[in-house]
Amino acid sequence: MSGRAAFPAGGRDWADLQADMRARKADDIDWKNGRAPLYVFHNDAETYEVGRKAFFEYFSENALGRKRAFHSIQSMEREVLDYGLSLFSAPEGADGVFTSGGSESILVAMKTARDAWRAARPGRGPGSPMNIVMPDTAHPAFDKASDLLGYEIRRGAVSDDGRADPETLRPLIDDNTIALVGSAPCFPYGVIDPIDILSDLAQTTGTWLHVDACVGGWMAPFFTMNGRATPHFDFRYAGVRSISADLHKFGFCPKPASTVFFRDAADMARATFVADAWPSGRFETSTLVGTRPGGAVAAAWAVLNHLGTAGYRDAARRLAEMVDLYVADVEALGFRMIARPDLSIIAFTSETEDMFAVAKELGTHGWLVGQTRRPPGIHAMMSLFHAPAREAFISNLATSLDRVRGGGAAGRAADVVY
Ligand SMILES: Cc1ncc(COP(=O)(O)O)c(C=O)c1O
């Protein structure tokens, strides 16, 4: 008998199923109390309820059918994309796609960049060598896209402040470069790359610049509006040709929800895949997936309208206050921030302590501990679940540090798998 689960006989009622699911959850991380350093994002209970209710209002509707069957989804999706275009200073003619997440947004952007690159180079079809140039800190979604689309990844070292260094990227660009990438912010260090300078580099070399604002897109502008020194990253820089921005991270919308925007109508057309050969008729999608949840579109529309500028600015203010307190407390224990956070990702290290040992020790207190490998450090992408958890985190961090200093623990980088 193998360990494979047998196909169910059926007949279990909801009460039984719910009890089973809840029992299975017993071993899950206590994310509602801020113990997860990523995966879940929270503003407040009201925003959560608005998103949840809107999602279930459209639980069965399929956003694939928005043009023919579900015109309400079509209108809400249009408005969500319009909100993003305004937020990102997009010029007339720009447009976007509602996707299932950052990885899909990035894949769609890279496919579009490839098609634009090919359009400018007649004869360079399938089989031509291609590459994308990006800082060391860019997300593995680009590696995945490169595997699927068949191009090489060229990574350049970042500056001491954790941001992309345009001078290390410049020599990596050649005529086979389909895109240059900057992040807003990058996941490992939480800082926004110098998009203004990357934009100039993209323009002088004739390269497509993609900004991966999956983490910061729907939040960083409100930090900036509040007077924080969070840098701009959007279409105001003429070299920026596409932007990915996740609603299901700091837009506080239910998963799966992301957006990808294109400066030019011609690029939006390139993003759209058309198949017309089969017996059933023309099939047109700008997403990787076909069927997709109408609930995700409805929920994003509802959350954006619920929060609006005032709500997001308020969330940005509370996030910024929380991050400042974390940074002060972490530094007071003698750790060094790897970079000054632009948003609410913190990453810290130490020149003297074994950070992997500290991380491992911290994990024994019920925290799922995020880590960086270069340099060895502790990492957290924090939302407002993490505000009430701060005192417990800092106290457990201090205890863990004491134990490591006392020689009671040792750690390994391999302990973390995302
Ligand atoms: C900077 C960045 N880009 C892209 C992604 C991929 O997003 P998703 O997990 O929604 O596919 C992430 C995920 O954390 C990210 O941090």
Side-chain angles (χ1 to χ4, degrees):
M1 196 59 193
S2 76
R4 183 183 293 169
F7 192 84
R12 293 177 67 179
D13 64 14
W14 171 242
D16 178 29
L17 294 167
Q18 187 182 45
D20 190 336
M21 285 190 239
R22 291 193 173 168
R24 287 170 196 244
K25 280 189 183 185
D27 281 345
D28 286 359
I29 197 79
D30 185 9
W31 54 272
K32 288 185 180 162
N33 287 309
R35 265 52 177 176
L38 76 171
Y39 304 132
V40 277
F41 302 84
H42 185 69
N43 178 34
D44 56 20
E46 207 178 335
T47 311
Y48 171 85
E49 268 309 304
V50 166
R52 198 180 68 82
K53 287 185 176 142
F55 197 105
F56 285 103
E57 193 73 24
Y58 279 85
F59 180 63
S60 295
E61 283 83 347
N62 183 345
L64 176 64
R66 70 198 183 291
K67 291 183 194 157
R68 302 176 65 218
F70 309 116
H71 300 123
S72 55
I73 295 182
Q74 167 94 323
S75 69
M76 287 185 284
E77 185 174 286
R78 184 62 266 157
E79 286 172 30
V80 168
L81 294 171
D82 285 348
Y83 305 154
L85 291 167
S86 304
L87 193 62
F88 303 143
S89 326
E92 275 304 307
D95 208 345
V97 185
F98 192 110
T99 74
S100 65
S103 301
E104 187 182 8
S105 290
I106 287 168
L107 183 74
V108 170
M110 293 301 99
K111 170 236 168 340
T112 308
R114 180 204 62 183
D115 290 355
W117 178 86
R118 280 184 181 159
R121 292 166 185 75
R124 304 276 283 279
S128 294
M130 296 176 291
N131 65 69
I132 73 163
V133 171
M134 61 191 205
D136 190 37
T137 46
H139 192 270
F142 291 96
D143 299 74
K144 186 186 283 184
S146 89
D147 190 53
L148 291 167
L149 294 168
Y151 52 72
E152 175 201 350
I153 291 274
R154 297 182 176 172
R155 289 181 184 266
V158 298
S159 307
D160 290 344
D161 62 2
R163 299 176 205 275
D165 178 355
E167 290 318 310
T168 67
L169 297 176
R170 183 190 302 271
L172 302 179
I173 298 173
D174 61 21
D175 190 46
N176 297 333
T177 304
I178 61 161
L180 170 68
V181 174
S183 306
C186 67
F187 179 79
Y189 308 142
V191 286
I192 297 182
D193 290 329
I195 303 301
D196 50 348
I197 307 176
L198 293 180
S199 166
D200 291 344
L201 178 58
Q203 287 192 291
T204 51
T205 55
T207 313
W208 178 297
L209 175 60
H210 177 79
V211 177
D212 176 14
C214 283
V215 170
W218 291 90
M219 179 50 67
F222 302 103
F223 270 59
T224 315
M225 277 179 217
N226 284 352
R228 195 95 173 162
T230 304
H232 294 298
F233 60 86
D234 64 20
F235 288 116
R236 77 192 61 213
Y237 302 117
V240 175
R241 199 112 168 229
S242 56
I243 298 177
S244 49
D246 290 357
L247 290 156
H248 65 200
K249 293 192 172 81
F250 289 97
F252 304 125
C253 301
K255 303 172 191 68
S258 173
T259 46
V260 57
F261 298 96
F262 299 98
R263 169 183 294 278
D264 298 327
D267 291 333
M268 182 65 207
R270 290 185 180 108
T272 306
F273 182 79
V274 179
D276 212 359
W278 72 336
S280 284
R282 190 179 157 89
F283 191 87
E284 200 179 291
T285 46
S286 306
T287 48
L288 178 65
V289 298
T291 289
R292 55 196 177 90
V297 176
W301 178 88
V303 168
L304 283 160
N305 277 282
H306 172 67
L307 289 176
T309 305
Y312 282 110
R313 284 189 66 169
D314 185 53
R317 180 186 56 73
R318 286 178 290 121
L319 273 172
E321 281 170 11
M322 175 191 77
V323 172
D324 290 347
L325 291 172
Y326 266 96
V327 169
D329 287 351
V330 164
E331 288 184 331
L333 291 176
F335 294 104
R336 178 175 69 77
M337 301 309 294
I338 297 174
R340 308 312 301 177
D342 278 330
L343 205 67
S344 66
I345 291 178
I346 56 166
F348 53 94
T349 185
S350 164
E351 266 63 61
T352 50
E353 313 298 341
D354 176 350
M355 290 303 291
F356 297 140
V358 177
K360 195 170 174 190
E361 192 57 33
L362 192 55
T364 64
H365 295 274
W367 304 90
L368 181 70
V369 187
Q371 292 184 27
T372 53
R373 289 184 300 179
R374 294 192 298 274
I378 291 179
H379 178 275
M381 176 158 63
M382 300 187 297
S383 72
L384 288 152
F385 275 137
H386 296 86
R390 182 174 52 86
E391 283 177 13
F393 179 83
I394 296 299
S395 147
N396 290 166
L397 182 62
T399 312
S400 304
L401 184 58
D402 282 348
R403 206 167 120 71
V404 170
R405 280 184 176 152
R412 285 184 300 119
D415 287 344
V416 70
V417 178
Y418 284 101

